[in-house]
Amino acid sequence: MSLPHAILTALLERPSSGLELTRRFDKSIGYFWSASHQQIYRELGRLEAAGLIRALPSERPARGQRKQYEVLPAGREELTGWVATGEDPRPLREALFLRLRAAGVVGTAGLGEELRRHLALHERQLAEYNAIEARDFPADDAADTPDRLRHLVLRAGIGLESFWIYWLHEALTTLREPAPPGARPPGPGDGAGPGDGAGPE
């Protein structure tokens, strides 16, 4: 995936200013494709120069007013072609896996603390995803196709976080390290359903 396609997707969902896009990346799109506000503004300029998006005419032009962008037909065509393009999965590069491999030859001092820190982070992320699901998809059987696909992406996040929690419990058990107080090891297929998390998006 590339940032231009992420921005085209976001703008087709809703015309936005650069600042609004940055906030949306921070809140939702950033869960699976992150970008800084500098990168977003830079890419907006490139997409506009390429004729894929345009700034909407302002009813009352004023200095410092935020430009709202929308996708042009060429931008929709670009995104449609990209959706249909094949792409191989990226090789996994995870420093924590390498750290465990290294611990096998130099010792595990301090590793348990790092695993517990990762576990807490993934538990918080899972709770946030579950809260979003409970709020935005309370009855998925009635959702239209775009909502179903957005929910599918969210379910992928829930599944990945559930896997990490399960694996980190297994890693702590292998090291004979205690899990954080109150932590419950889930099954590998656990993806807590709506209402199991807490906190807003």
Side-chain angles (χ1 to χ4, degrees), residues 59-141:
E59 293 180 1
R60 43 186 184 83
R63 177 182 292 183
Q65 185 169 341
R66 299 186 194 115
K67 289 196 288 187
Q68 295 273 330
Y69 293 93
E70 70 172 0
V71 178
L72 293 169
R76 179 181 283 273
E77 184 178 342
E78 165 63 27
L79 190 61
T80 300
W82 178 78
V83 167
T85 300
E87 189 171 353
D88 292 336
R90 294 187 177 190
L92 179 62
R93 296 178 63 185
E94 173 52 61
L96 188 59
F97 293 160
L98 182 57
R99 189 167 282 113
L100 261 70
R101 186 74 178 257
V105 291
V106 300
T108 62
L111 186 57
E113 182 179 351
E114 178 67 356
L115 291 172
R116 285 189 290 273
R117 186 179 73 84
H118 277 254
L119 178 59
L121 291 171
H122 286 290
E123 286 175 333
R124 284 200 296 272
Q125 188 65 76
L126 178 60
E128 190 167 355
Y129 284 161
N130 283 329
I132 294 170
E133 183 177 44
R135 184 195 67 203
D136 293 347
F137 304 102
D140 187 51
D141 55 335

Side-chain angles (χ1 to χ4, degrees), residues 6 17-18 32-33 37 50 54 58 70 77 97 99 104 106 160 166 168 177 195 199-200:
S17 68
F32 56 89
W33 191 264
H37 69 276
R54 69 161 185 162
S58 175
E70 70 172 0
E77 184 178 342
F97 293 160
R99 189 167 282 113
V106 300
L160 286 170
Y166 171 81
L168 285 160
E177 289 274 353

Side-chain angles (χ1 to χ4, degrees), residues 1 5 18 21-22 24 41 48 78-79 84 88 91 101 143 155 159 163 177 185 193:
M1 183 175 176
H5 297 112
L21 276 176
T22 298
R24 290 171 66 191
Y41 278 98
E48 188 174 22
E78 165 63 27
L79 190 61
D88 292 336
R101 186 74 178 257
R155 292 299 302 170
F163 161 76
E177 289 274 353

